Amino acid sequence: MRLTPSRSIVGRLIKPTVCVVAFAACGMSFACSVAKADDSVDFNRDVRPILSKHCLACHGRDEARRAKQLRLDVRESAVNELADGVVAIVPGSPDDSELIERIASTDESLRMPPRKAGGRLAAEQIEILRRWIAQGANYDEHWAFVKPKRRPIPKVVNKSWPINRIDYYILANIERAGLKPSNEADRYLLIRRASLDLRGLPPSPAEIDSFVNDASPNAYERMIDRFLADPAFGERWARVWLDLARYADSAGYGSDPLRTIWRYRDWVIDAFNKNVPYDRFTIAQIAGDLLPKATIDDRIATAFHRNTMTNTEGGTDDEEFRVAAVKDRVDVTAQVWMGLTAGCAKCHDHKYDPITQKEYYQLFAFFNQTEDADRPDESPTIRVETDEQRREIERIDARIAELKKKFDTASVELALGQAKWEEKLAGSRDLKKKNRAGIPDRIKAILDKPEASRSAAEEDDLARYYRSNVAEEFKSVRDEIAKLEKSKPEIATVPVMVELPANKKRETHILIKGNFLTSGEKVEAEVPKAFHRFPAGAPVNRLGLAYWLVDRENPLTARVAVNRYWARFFGSGLVETEEDFGTQGDPPVSLDLLDDLALEYQEHGWDTKAIMKMIVMSATYRQSSVAFSEQIERDPRNRLLSRAPRFRLDAETVRDQALALGGILSRKMFGPSVFPPQPDGLWQAAFNGQRTWATSAGEDRRRRGIYTFWRRTVPYPSMAVFDAPSREVCISRRFHTNTPLQALVTLNDPVYFEAAQGLARRIVCEGGSSTEDRARFALKTCLCRPATDARVNEIVKLYRRELDRFARSPDDALAVATLPIGAAPSGMNVAELAAWTVVSNALLNLDAVLMRG
């Protein structure tokens, strides 16, 4: 079995060179556990990770930092004789290879990596390199930079287990490791798992009963189709994308002023629900404004790259932070769509991946031509009404139009009044200036004409102006129109990307050491040479770049996308380093499966719901999560997926589930971000006037977490405790921690306690009349499965103990039962409600509730 280091160290092959990099102990990696099966060594699978993590910082692409001009990432350099006569690698002869001599040396002055760089390579790693050299030291291009290709579906022993193509790849690895897949999970677990994964919400009791009792052969598939069609699907999956888009309701940096950009969030939710093909989804966000006949939605989509931070602090240089925003757009585009750490090339050539500093700034040039420039007003912006606002405006406009028809009325009294008004406006120049203030120039021009020389149209125009603006007879009509105009809903703005006109295009230069003040060579927009060509005939701007990203020749875009979906369903991607598909990233557990999914995605029109359905329909996804000792011993991290993974729900889902189980979750969609309860004083700042968290009233305080106001410097605290990011930067995956603070949140936070109070009221109203029936209902509601007698007995004991306590403390009972949710419904016993609230609070904190199993 190959050993892979868990963090980077630097190898050094030439004695005079000194390289210092932090070293961490090596850890086992499943990805190459099959290497010993035939004793052959695969460069990408077995060798490249060792060289990349130990050697290439000093012996890689970066010419400025390269020791003795030895490159170990290129065969021609590695096998050639160096200036001092040393040959690092002699193909076929490891004993004559300086590489092997140095990494195996016990002489501290000769050993590689040097002591300053960390510890030695493990014996298994040295053996892999020896065998590789003995077998000819063949190099291969990094797997991620080669187009995906179809390979024969692997043969398996247990032919009855696979349901679809996915299962053959997974089962082949499981069987190769001497394991067996787990049995299918029961229906109760399956519906909860699928509902949480696809919708981010638990299934309702009615949904559970319907699925469990559905005897049709396609019951599971029909359930999946319902979940995919649920509007909650878009809310759940938009959350994943908003982490990538670094979406927030504030601009960031020290003062972190508030920003109005929620229409972009709503666009993402809507795009997932409408199943917008991923290529179109990509193009709209990178360059929707440049599309022919761009729609409002296309323009809103470009707010993806307006999520960059803006620095409004006094004394800052707008150009410095405009450049910082453009760099961020380059970095995020490469990471989100291609899984590359392009930002490493800001100051020098990338040490590991094929992106030079010049190529970085050629990518920079694509994004360097937009009108935004770190302005406090976030311009350019567009005003966009919601559907509800548009209907309300149409209603108001229709009423105003109806009222304005009254101005067409003619009468003798109106004619006399108009004549007096015109007479008043005549006279000396000074008098005219005073009396005609605010009158449009076209009306003044008509007034200055003798009546005999005015046209009929001019007479009508003048009369209508008088009636609609001056006539006392129509004052009440004018007042009503003014009131209606004032009642129109306020239209939100959204910052968007707008390309500079041709005569204002910026020049792009390499920035020496990344400094915006130190310009180097001038460059033009171009894509890195190591990848596929720029699409023929495509415009050399953001739109062309978007086409390049989704081109079928791109080896990374589809792989990165399907790997991201896989990771959300299984807790970890086929490539665990979702953010890095480069040579420093982890190799895929199954490249064959990754490629199969990527090609399936492309060939079926980038249909996101279809690829997700394929994943959740598989036998792999449907397995039980029960772990046996043999599985834990042979595959402790479950990278083989011989069982379904168990992992904690993400921050938003933990909260949404609690509110849903409590029966108080609002399913209202879209609109401005809301302010659910949070501790007082968190928004206080020394130099920012926007310090007040105005807690939302009504259903807005209980909406899904995706609608919670997201301030970068002070993220919503209960979600931050559950590892939600600040969204100052792009986040490809959230790392889950386990801290006492999390338990304190779910036990004591007002939102979670209110959910417990709501659940208590559900138990009393819906759970039956006996304590045992109510305990059974409570357990089934929270766990999404029938309760066992043992669990029911424990709940009954807890309830009776708490009921006795609250019966003796009516004030405590009242507080626990009603604060903060509100007065108890008529007829409900407050002590009983309080006791069931304590029970509910405990149930919502069960491991089985907080975990996805």
Side-chain angles (χ1 to χ4, degrees):
M1 184 178 288
R2 173 176 67 85
L3 289 173
T4 300
S6 60
R7 293 188 186 141
S8 298
I9 69 168
V10 178
R12 186 185 71 167
L13 297 180
I14 304 302
K15 181 177 177 181
T17 307
V18 177
C19 301
V20 180
V21 175
F23 173 83
C26 296
M28 299 295 288
S29 170
F30 162 71
C32 51
S33 62
V34 295
K36 277 191 173 182
D38 57 5
D39 204 41
S40 63
V41 180
D42 179 271
F43 178 76
N44 272 324
R45 182 189 64 201
D46 305 321
V47 176
R48 187 189 293 277
I50 299 174
L51 297 180
S52 180
K53 293 181 183 293
H54 291 260
C55 309
L56 299 188
C58 292
H59 300 289
R61 295 179 176 277
D62 189 354
E63 186 173 0
R65 305 271 181 107
R66 191 179 302 144
K68 291 294 182 179
Q69 294 307 300
L70 170 63
R71 288 187 66 171
L72 288 175
D73 61 326
V74 176
R75 191 176 193 273
E76 289 74 14
S77 173
V79 302
N80 282 342
E81 184 177 307
L82 298 175
D84 54 4
V86 170
V87 179
I89 294 174
V90 180
S93 183
D95 291 337
D96 295 325
S97 300
E98 186 76 6
L99 170 64
I100 298 300
E101 181 178 340
R102 290 300 187 91
I103 62 177
S105 177
T106 58
D107 185 337
E108 291 297 324
S109 66
L110 297 175
R111 59 164 279 195
M112 292 290 164
R115 179 173 292 278
K116 289 182 179 180
R120 297 178 178 278
L121 270 68
E124 290 88 345
Q125 293 175 305
I126 295 173
E127 179 58 24
I128 286 173
L129 294 176
R130 286 187 63 88
R131 295 197 342 254
W132 169 61
I133 293 172
Q135 293 170 16
N138 293 317
Y139 279 71
D140 291 316
E141 190 173 357
H142 181 51
W143 65 268
F145 303 154
V146 179
K147 278 179 60 178
K149 62 181 179 181
R150 293 277 190 192
R151 299 171 181 85
I153 293 178
K155 295 179 180 179
V156 296
V157 175
N158 184 2
K159 294 181 174 58
S160 64
W161 187 74
I163 292 175
N164 62 26
R165 301 166 62 90
I166 290 170
D167 301 322
Y168 287 93
Y169 295 102
I170 295 297
L171 182 57
N173 278 344
I174 291 173
E175 291 180 340
R176 191 179 294 117
L179 294 171
K180 294 180 180 179
S182 296
N183 294 328
E184 182 170 303
D186 64 47
R187 286 199 170 192
Y188 292 104
L189 192 150
L190 285 177
I191 188 172
R192 180 176 186 267
R193 178 188 296 169
S195 182
L196 289 169
D197 283 350
L198 293 173
R199 306 187 299 181
L201 295 173
S204 69
E207 288 174 326
I208 295 171
D209 291 340
S210 175
F211 173 59
V212 169
N213 296 320
D214 188 344
S216 61
N218 64 339
Y220 180 79
E221 182 175 10
R222 291 197 293 118
M223 176 193 71
I224 295 301
D225 287 339
R226 286 195 299 272
F227 290 169
L228 287 169
D230 192 318
F233 170 85
E235 294 172 316
R236 183 269 183 275
W237 285 92
R239 198 286 296 158
V240 176
W241 191 260
L242 295 183
D243 277 2
L244 297 164
R246 64 270 192 242
Y247 168 84
D249 296 295
S250 67
Y253 294 114
S255 58
D256 199 23
L258 310 190
R259 167 186 283 168
T260 303
I261 197 170
W262 55 265
R263 283 308 310 266
Y264 168 73
R265 176 249 288 147
D266 288 358
W267 179 88
V268 176
I269 295 171
D270 198 43
F272 273 102
N273 278 331
K274 290 179 178 176
N275 200 24
V276 174
Y278 189 67
D279 56 347
R280 172 72 192 194
F281 183 72
T282 295
I283 292 166
Q285 291 181 89
I286 298 293
D289 58 309
L290 299 177
L291 285 167
K293 299 180 181 179
T295 65
I296 288 294
D297 277 354
D298 291 330
R299 298 188 68 195
I300 292 172
T302 66
F304 174 87
H305 270 321
R306 293 303 311 280
N307 280 309
T308 46
M309 296 196 291
T310 303
N311 197 337
T312 60
E313 296 172 38
T316 58
D317 189 316
D318 287 340
E319 179 62 9
E320 177 182 2
F321 290 96
R322 185 196 72 81
V323 169
V326 177
K327 289 178 181 177
D328 178 73
R329 289 164 190 165
V330 176
D331 300 351
V332 170
T333 300
Q335 185 173 346
V336 169
W337 279 279
M338 296 184 71
L340 295 177
T341 56
C344 296
K346 287 185 183 77
C347 304
H348 51 72
D349 291 351
H350 201 297
K351 289 181 179 295
Y352 307 104
D353 295 333
I355 304 174
T356 66
Q357 187 184 20
K358 179 178 180 180
E359 288 172 331
Y360 179 89
Y361 286 100
Q362 287 175 325
L363 288 172
F364 182 100
F366 284 106
F367 295 101
N368 198 30
Q369 307 302 336
T370 55
E371 287 187 8
D372 59 283
D374 196 56
R375 300 185 184 100
D377 64 1
E378 300 288 354
S379 62
T381 62
I382 56 173
R383 285 163 46 89
V384 187
E385 70 269 15
T386 64
D387 290 341
E388 184 179 350
Q389 287 174 328
R390 183 164 53 251
R391 288 191 292 270
E392 178 65 6
I393 291 170
E394 288 172 354
R395 184 192 68 78
I396 292 172
D397 284 345
R399 175 58 182 156
I400 289 173
E402 185 180 338
L403 288 169
K404 285 184 175 180
K405 289 179 181 178
K406 295 183 179 182
F407 296 143
D408 295 331
T409 304
S411 69
V412 173
E413 290 79 5
L414 286 169
L416 291 173
Q418 180 179 335
K420 291 179 180 179
W421 171 68
E422 290 187 43
E423 184 179 342
K424 181 182 177 182
L425 296 179
S428 67
R429 179 180 300 178
D430 291 340
L431 191 60
K432 285 182 181 180
K433 185 175 181 180
K434 177 183 177 181
N435 291 340
R436 294 186 181 190
I439 296 177
D441 289 342
R442 60 181 177 79
I443 299 299
K444 291 178 185 176
I446 298 172
L447 287 168
D448 287 336
K449 284 186 175 183
E451 284 190 47
S453 63
R454 296 173 186 169
S455 67
E458 288 175 330
E459 287 285 5
D460 289 343
D461 199 11
L462 186 61
R464 186 168 182 80
Y465 178 83
Y466 169 74
R467 295 167 194 166
S468 59
N469 291 275
V470 182
E472 190 64 29
E473 293 89 337
F474 290 119
K475 183 179 184 302
S476 62
V477 177
R478 291 195 298 273
D479 289 347
E480 186 174 353
I481 290 173
K483 186 177 179 180
L484 286 168
E485 290 284 3
K486 192 175 181 179
S487 72
K488 287 183 178 180
E490 184 178 353
I491 307 303
T493 60
V494 58
V496 294
M497 300 285 271
V498 175
E499 201 78 346
L500 288 168
N503 64 341
K504 292 187 178 179
K505 295 290 185 183
R506 300 184 183 96
E507 287 189 354
T508 300
H509 295 260
I510 295 174
L511 300 181
I512 308 302
K513 295 185 179 180
N515 188 337
F516 83 106
L517 293 174
T518 312
S519 296
E521 176 188 352
K522 180 182 175 182
V523 297
E524 301 294 337
E526 183 56 271
V527 294
K529 291 182 175 60
F531 299 101
H532 57 294
R533 293 182 178 179
F534 198 76
V540 186
N541 56 18
R542 284 181 287 116
L543 184 58
L545 180 66
Y547 291 145
W548 180 79
L549 287 171
V550 296
D551 193 299
R552 289 290 297 275
E553 295 298 310
N554 192 315
L556 285 163
T557 299
R559 280 177 173 145
V560 170
V562 297
N563 186 68
R564 184 178 299 130
Y565 306 145
W566 185 275
R568 303 292 80 75
F569 290 117
F570 293 103
S572 182
L574 291 167
V575 177
E576 189 167 10
T577 52
E578 296 176 52
E579 69 286 351
D580 190 357
F581 275 52
T583 60
Q584 287 290 96
D586 290 345
V589 171
S590 173
L591 178 58
D592 293 357
L593 174 55
L594 182 64
D595 283 3
D596 192 274
L597 290 171
L599 291 170
E600 191 80 11
Y601 198 29
Q602 291 178 323
E603 291 167 3
H604 289 81
W606 301 88
D607 187 328
T608 299
K609 288 188 178 182
I611 202 71
M612 289 185 182
K613 181 177 178 180
M614 181 180 179
I615 292 172
V616 299
M617 288 297 295
S618 68
T620 304
Y621 179 80
R622 300 192 213 185
Q623 292 179 99
S624 166
S625 58
V626 176
F628 297 97
S629 57
E630 187 179 19
Q631 294 171 322
I632 295 171
E633 180 183 344
R634 296 194 184 188
D635 185 20
R637 298 187 60 228
N638 197 25
R639 297 295 286 145
L640 286 164
L641 292 177
S642 61
R643 62 189 184 276
R646 293 185 77 249
F647 49 87
R648 199 196 63 218
L649 301 173
D650 62 28
E652 291 85 349
T653 306
V654 169
R655 179 180 180 277
D656 294 349
Q657 177 184 240
L659 294 174
L661 295 176
I664 60 174
L665 176 69
S666 166
R667 292 300 301 274
K668 176 182 175 183
M669 295 182 69
F670 306 131
S673 296
V674 296
F675 300 83
Q678 75 168 15
D680 293 334
L682 293 182
W683 273 27
Q684 289 182 357
F687 48 87
N688 189 325
Q690 296 165 308
R691 304 176 186 176
T692 303
W693 177 275
T695 303
S696 298
E699 67 175 326
D700 279 352
R701 66 186 275 130
R702 299 167 178 169
R703 292 182 65 190
R704 293 197 68 173
I706 194 170
Y707 300 110
T708 297
F709 197 97
W710 208 283
R711 192 167 196 173
R712 284 176 161 133
T713 53
V714 194
Y716 190 62
S718 69
M719 287 198 266
V721 167
F722 278 94
D723 309 305
S726 69
R727 297 217 176 116
E728 292 169 288
V729 295
C730 168
I731 296 295
S732 293
R733 52 177 171 152
R734 295 185 183 182
F735 295 93
H736 289 172
T737 62
N738 189 4
T739 72
L741 286 176
Q742 293 163 356
L744 293 173
V745 166
T746 51
L747 284 167
N748 302 303
D749 184 283
V751 172
Y752 290 91
F753 199 76
E754 188 174 11
Q757 292 171 325
L759 178 57
R761 296 180 185 199
R762 285 189 67 190
I763 292 169
V764 173
C765 288
E766 305 171 38
S769 56
S770 73
T771 300
E772 288 75 11
D773 286 345
R774 289 177 175 180
R776 210 170 287 278
F777 170 84
L779 283 162
K780 183 178 179 180
T781 298
C782 293
L783 301 178
C784 300
R785 63 171 53 254
T788 63
D789 290 341
R791 283 180 168 171
V792 169
N793 291 337
E794 290 299 319
I795 293 300
V796 169
K797 288 179 185 177
L798 174 60
Y799 167 73
R800 287 175 174 164
R801 188 181 71 211
E802 293 302 312
L803 180 61
D804 180 65
R805 179 167 71 91
F806 286 121
R808 290 183 278 105
S809 304
D811 290 344
D812 289 346
L814 182 64
V816 170
T818 63
L819 299 177
I821 197 170
S826 176
M828 283 194 182
N829 183 290
V830 172
E832 288 184 1
L833 273 183
W836 283 118
T837 296
V838 173
V839 170
S840 299
N841 192 233
L843 290 175
L844 293 178
N845 277 272
L846 289 176
D847 183 69
V849 173
L850 297 174
M851 298 289 285
R852 178 273 200 201

